[in-house]
Amino acid sequence: MKQNTHAGGVRSGLGAVFRRAATAEWGALFGAVKEQVVRRKFAAVPLATAATALVLLFSVVQHLPGGARFVSDIGVVKAALPLDVSLLRTPLSLYVPALDLPVWGALAQVFLVFGVAEIVLGRRLTLVVAYVCTLAGTLFARIAVALGPHHLLGFPHWVAHVRDTGPSAAVVALAVVVAFRCRAWWTGGAVVLAMTVEAVLLPNLAGMEHLVAISTAVLIAVWVEVFGDYWPRVLSGVGAAASVAQGGARAVTP
């Protein structure tokens, strides 16, 4: 009986430690997300809903007769394409899922991560992180192919013709920025570690682009942390100075 009591006490103690650790890691994040979702339902995450719908739409269209050509013309990026064409297609390429992967996984990832990011970071910063980190991966692909297979970060020239689409880079980047904002260091570290292991064990373009997206996301997170309210304060000061100047001008006008 004593042994059972002792074992139960150990399990209870471990459970309490786990609960405290989980609260410290995800408490603030869970509270903010739950409040918005309970109060506003889907209205709290219109960006995530639209992004998920786009991924589903492109997935359906590209499997229809003639749909693959249409999707390719508007949203498929390859390093072999001219740079201006790649830049024009990059915004939509984020929502074009890979042909050889189950789309339901992509839908779940986009809705969950975009939704959490939209609530925690706001729509504007969520879009900035998603598109800038996706663009960073797209540009890296061109640089890696130019470096060639003999360089540490290079790839063979045939990689230039590999389809480079999907939301995974944006999802990884947003997860890192949200973790940084909420100080969920273990979660952010787990994402970085998982992507690093993937790139080492499966050395391909997608894995390297994930690391590029993470690096870009960390830079954005640090920039926002340090200078996030700098320009709003500057603009506010300029507006206040302009108001004072206008008031002074009216006062001296006869």
Side-chain angles (χ1 to χ4, degrees), residues 24 115 167 201:
L201 297 181

Side-chain angles (χ1 to χ4, degrees), residues 46-65:
L47 177 61
T49 304
T52 306
L54 280 173
V55 173
L56 180 59
L57 176 64
F58 278 120
S59 175
V60 172
V61 170
Q62 69 184 359
H63 287 93
L64 296 176

Side-chain angles (χ1 to χ4, degrees), residues 24 27 38 68 74 115 117 144 156 169 171-172 174 181 188 214 251:
V38 169
I74 67 171
V171 166
V172 170
L174 286 171
R181 172 66 64 86
I214 287 174

Side-chain angles (χ1 to χ4, degrees), residues 94-95 109-110 113-114 117 126-135 166-177 209-210 213-214 217:
L94 193 157
Y95 306 107
Q109 287 180 358
V110 168
V113 177
F114 270 69
T126 298
L127 281 173
V128 168
V129 172
Y131 282 118
V132 169
C133 293
T134 298
L135 179 60
S168 59
V171 166
V172 170
L174 286 171
V176 169
V177 177
E209 285 189 350
H210 290 163
I214 287 174

Side-chain angles (χ1 to χ4, degrees), residues 24-25 143 157 228 237 247:
E25 183 78 0
I143 296 172
H157 292 294

